[in-house]
Amino acid sequence: MSETETRDFIRQIIHDDLESGKHSEIVTRFPPEPNGYLHVGHVMSICLNFGVAAETGGRTFLRLDDTNPGKESREYVDAIKRDVHWLGFDWEDRLTHASDYFGQLYESACRLIEMGCAYVDSLSADEIREHRGTLTEPGRNSPYRDRSVEENLDLFKRMRAGEFSDGELVLRARIDMSSPNMNMRDPALYRIRHIPHQNAGDEWCIYPMYDFAHGLSDAYEHITHSLCTLEFEDHRPLYDWFLDQLKPAHRPRQIEFSRLNLAYAVTSKRKLNTLVDEGIVTGWDDPRMPTIAGMRRRGYPVAALREFVTRAGVTKKDKLIEMGVLENCIRETLGEQAERRMAVLRPLKIVLTNYPENKVEMMEAMNHPGRPELGTRELPFSRELWIEQDDFMEDAPRKFFRLKPGGEVRLRFGYIIRCDEVVRNTAGDVVELRCSYDPDTRSGTGSSDRKVKGTIHWVSCEHAIDAQVRLYDRLFNEANPNAVDDVHSVLNPESLEIVDGKLEPALAELAAGQAVQFERLGYFCTDEKEDSAAVRVINRIVTLRDSWAKLEKQAMQNQNQVV
Ligand code: ATP
Ligand code: MG
């Protein structure tokens, strides 16, 4: 594939700007507001901003867009930094805050006033809304719109000095109250808020609005391409208007792309916050959350996330991407990397009646079927073993090739066994199977080359490690929960199931952050927060197969019909 074929429209623009000499170096920024944890949508923005700069030898700023004190906190700042680093990107010495520029922004606002391009309004918030008009009706000028430059400057300085209360005055741009673009109808530039700021302390009681701060911060940092999501498209005329009036030495260019939305997940910090606040999940890093912290704790590999956003692509079309696409990226990455182990999640005991009582054999188990260089390990085999409950069926159909009364199955890396007797408790539940093994069928070395159709996994009872295994599923039953107001109505009540599993002894050594495949079950890792020497706590990262694929496809099709 040639380079041009893989270039998205933003990379094409950047390529052209370098080739034409418009820019000699590309400078981008990733500008999250520290009002929540980053989510899978942000992964796309991070990979794009840091990616295009790295690919062209440019630079990227991590800028905390902290113009809205009250909703922002240090905890979020720290989480954002950790998440960006974890994804493998480095801002080096370019960690900035919109609040670093409060002084310059204030000066710029004063200049707009001096140029007659901004005024202090005394209308209340409600009155301003009333004057704004609608999409079909022009707005009306505020009676305070024609205050003199001197009066405006005086009032603005006194706003800053703390002489007025919240909402009493607001600084607005003087643009056009009849503009068809509502954003151009004299938008607010500064408002009064008597609350301290997580970065700037209590130096300020007036704070700039996002639109005003953003473009100018881009200019101060010499950002060449300010990449943002499509909801800012209608703000671009305003972005350009500030630059046209103030003519900073460097002029950045805003380019919009579509948001990445993941089916069956919410990608809005506000909605994620609701899940945390209401205790629907255990925190921002709950392994079911589509936050970067949650996905890390769940065990999603960085390479898979980066591959996922590459597959999603940078476009201007709305996207709701199937969870299966992300899960397939994870399966592909882990299928290659993860060593195989044996574990039983819903144990049923079998006793091999013809196997000596105190005998233990060490079976040789391959660590990775496709990568012999990863070697083998020893797997203890004994008279009593755990197998999976659903690998046994009493009234089995003809095609059931696992264990059934009188039937035979191979134990992986072990022997062929036959089920001779089913033991029940007084309630009639199956509690144990009495089986016999064929000593000539030992895997690899047995004298018999007898074959049976099914192979199942197992763990020796005596050697098993107990573990709490957490099986995660989608948080929502609805393909696009972003569009639903009440998230409660679409929660999946089965998003977490906890089982008492039995692990092969080698899993005692499973390191934090190391993913393994439990044969026939899926990919798993220890829980970075709750796993301990006393209790092994294991997260299921993803199943081996996508049991949702069909359902999801159907739901997405229905959705497309509605849109
Ligand atoms: P949220 O609605 O979740 O709060 P946001 O846009 O308000 O998202 P910011 O912290 O302002 O969150 O986002 C930082 C950057 O990440 C912005 O440039 C924004 O455009 C981008 N971004 C946010 N969500 C997505 C998404 N779903 N897909 C791609 N980029 C996104
Ligand atoms: Mg935002």
Side-chain angles (χ1 to χ4, degrees):
M1 222 180 324
S2 84
E3 215 189 307
T4 4
E5 279 171 306
T6 57
R7 216 178 266 149
D8 56 62
F9 80 98
I10 288 180
R11 286 179 165 87
Q12 188 60 47
I13 292 171
I14 285 174
H15 173 86
D16 294 346
D17 285 350
L18 284 170
E19 205 152 73
S20 72
K22 182 176 178 196
H23 298 294
S24 57
E25 186 192 25
I26 300 305
V27 187
T28 57
R29 86 287 170 267
F30 172 62
E33 183 181 355
N35 62 345
Y37 279 56
L38 300 179
H39 52 65
V40 62
H42 293 112
V43 175
M44 166 162 189
S45 181
I46 294 168
C47 290
L48 177 64
N49 279 294
F50 281 90
V52 295
E55 289 156 22
T56 57
R59 294 175 296 141
T60 304
F61 286 79
L62 172 60
R63 184 198 311 146
L64 296 155
D65 214 321
D66 53 358
T67 52
N68 203 358
K71 286 206 228 145
E72 299 165 356
S73 79
R74 277 289 165 84
E75 179 198 347
Y76 297 142
V77 171
D78 293 341
I80 288 168
K81 287 157 67 177
R82 187 166 61 234
D83 290 348
V84 173
H85 267 155
W86 179 69
L87 285 172
F89 297 106
D90 192 355
W91 54 86
E92 294 169 0
D93 57 352
R94 291 175 293 279
L95 175 69
T96 57
H97 307 75
S99 55
D100 298 341
Y101 308 125
F102 280 175
Q104 278 157 278
L105 291 166
Y106 178 78
E107 294 302 322
S108 295
C110 291
R111 273 185 45 223
L112 284 177
I113 295 174
E114 284 160 7
M115 291 159 62
C117 293
Y119 61 98
V120 174
D121 201 348
S122 305
L123 290 181
S124 69
D126 282 343
E127 288 166 329
I128 289 179
R129 204 169 306 124
E130 243 172 70
H131 278 72
R132 187 169 291 137
T134 64
L135 285 173
T136 51
E137 272 171 58
R140 285 174 295 133
N141 286 352
S142 160
Y144 304 98
R145 199 174 193 259
D146 294 316
R147 276 176 166 150
S148 68
V149 168
E150 292 68 34
E151 188 183 2
N152 280 320
L153 270 182
D154 175 60
L155 285 172
F156 188 49
K157 286 184 177 151
R158 288 166 55 202
M159 276 167 70
R160 190 209 161 154
E163 289 185 29
F164 303 100
S165 53
D166 289 10
E168 207 177 330
L169 295 176
V170 59
L171 182 71
R172 299 176 69 180
R174 183 190 274 113
I175 309 182
D176 178 4
M177 287 306 291
S178 59
S179 169
N181 183 340
M182 301 288 279
N183 295 305
M184 299 299 272
R185 295 186 187 174
D186 292 9
L189 300 182
Y190 264 92
R191 56 189 176 150
I192 304 170
R193 302 210 60 193
H194 287 272
I195 44 172
H197 186 280
Q198 51 86 20
N199 185 47
D202 42 22
E203 197 186 334
W204 296 88
C205 63
I206 57 171
Y207 292 101
M209 301 301 288
Y210 171 87
D211 281 322
F212 180 58
H214 199 85
L216 291 179
S217 303
D218 285 344
Y220 302 151
E221 290 171 357
H222 290 205
I223 303 299
T224 53
H225 300 82
S226 179
L227 312 176
C228 61
T229 33
L230 274 174
E231 70 271 23
F232 293 104
E233 197 167 25
D234 290 346
H235 296 239
R236 180 156 28 96
L238 182 55
Y239 183 98
D240 288 335
W241 187 86
F242 290 125
L243 300 174
D244 290 341
Q245 309 311 312
L246 291 163
K247 300 190 173 50
H250 174 85
R251 190 182 172 104
R253 170 179 175 192
Q254 174 177 307
I255 304 171
E256 309 86 17
F257 61 94
S258 60
R259 292 178 88 85
L260 181 152
N261 295 305
L262 185 61
Y264 296 95
V266 293
T267 39
S268 131
K269 279 182 274 178
R270 193 176 54 79
K271 290 218 156 101
L272 292 168
N273 205 348
T274 307
L275 299 176
V276 175
D277 276 354
E278 297 188 8
I280 294 169
V281 294
T282 56
W284 286 98
D285 63 353
D286 186 303
R288 292 167 295 177
M289 291 279 269
T291 51
I292 298 177
M295 295 190 291
R296 173 173 59 233
R297 185 168 164 197
R298 173 89 167 252
Y300 289 7
V302 170
L305 286 175
R306 291 177 66 160
E307 174 60 24
F308 171 64
V309 299
T310 303
R311 283 186 199 176
V314 180
T315 67
K316 279 196 179 271
K317 270 194 298 238
D318 261 350
K319 352 181 194 305
L320 180 62
I321 299 185
E322 292 176 43
M323 188 77 97
V325 177
L326 172 57
E327 293 186 343
N328 276 336
C329 292
I330 297 163
R331 289 186 186 105
E332 283 167 29
T333 306
L334 293 179
E336 164 84 18
Q337 286 175 2
E339 291 197 3
R340 276 47 171 173
R341 296 287 184 269
M342 299 242 267
V344 172
L345 299 186
R346 293 180 178 82
L348 170 64
K349 186 184 263 187
I350 64 172
V351 179
L352 304 178
T353 50
N354 60 340
Y355 197 86
E357 274 201 32
N358 293 315
K359 181 168 172 180
V360 176
E361 280 177 276
M362 286 300 178
M363 302 303 191
E364 189 178 23
M366 240 185 315
N367 286 332
H368 195 299
R371 299 179 58 192
E373 75 275 15
L374 292 178
T376 60
R377 66 189 186 282
E378 288 192 323
L379 200 59
F381 185 92
S382 65
R383 180 179 156 94
E384 297 191 352
L385 308 171
W386 297 115
I387 65 165
E388 213 67 64
Q389 284 166 18
D390 63 8
D391 279 335
F392 170 75
M393 201 185 237
E394 240 183 328
D395 300 311
R398 215 164 46 85
K399 292 234 155 127
F400 184 82
F401 297 123
R402 289 166 279 168
L403 201 54
K404 51 192 167 190
E408 282 189 321
V409 78
R410 173 171 284 287
L411 296 176
R412 182 132 168 91
F413 305 121
Y415 294 94
I416 292 177
I417 61 165
R418 189 182 62 232
C419 174
D420 304 316
E421 189 190 341
V422 179
V423 183
R424 299 168 183 285
N425 61 14
T426 47
D429 310 318
V430 176
V431 289
E432 188 180 296
L433 304 177
R434 299 185 74 77
C435 303
S436 46
Y437 85 112
D438 177 347
D440 296 332
T441 58
R442 183 174 161 150
S443 186
T445 56
S447 57
S448 158
D449 58 359
R450 212 147 68 70
K451 288 210 161 48
V452 291
K453 282 224 162 122
T455 301
I456 62 173
H457 60 276
W458 52 276
V459 172
S460 162
C461 295
E462 187 194 331
H463 305 89
I465 302 170
D466 288 315
Q468 188 194 103
V469 184
R470 298 175 176 174
L471 308 175
Y472 301 106
D473 205 337
R474 273 134 238 228
L475 254 180
F476 298 98
N477 279 326
E478 157 66 40
N480 189 5
N482 284 316
V484 177
D485 283 333
D486 176 18
V487 291
H488 296 90
S489 62
V490 290
L491 282 174
N492 173 11
E494 280 150 26
S495 61
L496 170 62
E497 184 187 2
I498 298 180
V499 295
D500 293 319
K502 306 285 182 187
L503 314 183
E504 68 160 275
L507 284 165
E509 262 103 74
L510 184 61
Q514 186 194 348
V516 286
Q517 184 192 102
F518 289 174
E519 297 216 10
R520 301 175 66 228
L521 297 173
Y523 296 95
F524 294 77
C525 66
T526 57
D527 184 80
E528 65 180 22
K529 247 187 172 167
E530 291 173 36
D531 179 63
S532 70
V535 192
R536 270 267 96 147
V537 179
I538 305 274
N539 292 328
R540 181 171 70 197
I541 304 169
V542 69
T543 54
L544 285 185
R545 260 175 310 247
D546 188 357
S547 51
W548 274 70
K550 255 198 222 147
L551 271 176
E552 198 161 352
K553 207 169 218 155
Q554 187 69 50
M556 304 273 283
Q557 269 163 7
N558 294 345
Q559 181 122 17
N560 287 342
Q561 280 157 16
V562 177
V563 173

